[in-house]
Amino acid sequence: MSTTVASRPAAPGKLKGRLIIGACVVVVLAAMAWDTTVVEIGHEAELAGGFSAETYGGEHFPAIQASVEERAVDAAELASAVLADSTAAGQKYGVGDGFGPVVPVTFSGTFGEARSGIYTVDAKGVPDEITLRVQTGPAINGTDLRDATGEISFGEFANQIEYQNAGASINDAMKKAVLADIDTADLSGKTVSVTGVFKLINPKNWLVTPVSMEVQ
């Protein structure tokens, strides 16, 4: 003999409570969807108003370029000062107290042979005992542009990685602004005018990163 137990209908109060809870869940989910922004990987800091390697260089290179062009020392004058007393020359013309001051320089000369995108230069007024070179890419190395003004400091960044990426971003911005329209693979034997910076470590070996370059 089987017994059938009839289920009791939900009490009106409980049913009303369930409906209210369900409606609240729907409202919350809708609000979350409305307030959610899809962010591409690598752009999180930019969304939060922090450092973005993709935009940093473009924002800061114009000011760096203007500062270097304004302060640049003729290479002949700088060579004389550096050979006489490199420490005094660095203090007078350069920026930074770390591993070699960053010095702004300007010169005209003839490009020699290139090695890995770096050309030797026979520049007017620069004695043969100084080896003068200019890096033209495709790889632009170093943080000389980042450090050229003394206005960009490690304290502005969250960590060393961001600080390094800032330098790379500025180098990339320089390539787009200065080197993009120049056939940098075919400069040997050509006369160029260059303004740029180099880190004064070895007074007889200058590796210049340009902020402007004109091929004549």
Side-chain angles (χ1 to χ4, degrees):
M1 181 178 192
S2 62
T3 302
T4 301
V5 179
S7 60
R8 295 182 180 181
K14 291 184 178 180
L15 180 60
K16 183 177 180 180
R18 291 173 184 172
L19 291 174
I20 292 174
I21 292 173
C24 290
V25 170
V26 171
V27 170
V28 170
L29 291 175
M32 290 174 63
W34 178 266
D35 195 45
T36 299
T37 301
V38 177
V39 181
E40 295 182 18
I41 295 175
H43 290 256
E44 298 88 346
E46 182 178 1
L47 180 67
F51 171 77
S52 167
E54 294 187 4
T55 61
Y56 189 89
E59 293 170 353
H60 289 79
F61 175 68
I64 294 170
Q65 182 183 49
S67 174
V68 171
E69 290 179 332
E70 181 181 354
R71 296 180 293 111
V73 185
D74 182 78
E77 175 186 344
L78 184 60
S80 178
V82 166
L83 291 177
D85 188 336
S86 62
T87 300
Q91 292 174 346
K92 180 177 181 179
Y93 299 113
V95 170
D97 299 324
F99 186 58
V102 179
V103 180
V105 64
T106 187
F107 54 87
S108 294
T110 304
F111 270 16
E113 296 300 317
R115 178 176 295 180
S116 301
I118 298 175
Y119 286 88
T120 57
V121 188
D122 181 10
K124 297 177 182 177
V126 177
D128 292 340
E129 59 187 302
I130 292 179
T131 299
L132 175 57
R133 299 175 297 154
V134 176
Q135 59 173 335
T136 65
I140 301 296
N141 298 312
T143 58
D144 295 0
L145 293 180
R146 184 197 68 189
D147 303 334
T149 64
E151 297 177 359
I152 298 175
S153 64
F154 175 74
E156 300 174 33
F157 303 90
N159 49 51
Q160 183 65 34
I161 294 175
E162 282 192 1
Y163 193 40
Q164 289 296 119
N165 287 343
S169 181
I170 294 169
N171 290 350
D172 288 341
M174 182 280 290
K175 287 169 57 178
K176 294 177 182 178
V178 177
L179 302 176
D181 295 331
I182 298 175
D183 184 2
T184 56
D186 186 30
L187 292 174
S188 295
K190 295 185 178 179
T191 299
V192 295
S193 295
V194 178
T195 298
V197 293
F198 70 98
K199 194 176 289 285
L200 182 55
I201 300 173
N202 182 341
K204 296 184 179 181
N205 194 341
W206 306 357
L207 176 60
V208 175
T209 303
V211 300
S212 63
M213 181 185 298
E214 180 182 347
V215 181
Q216 302 172 5

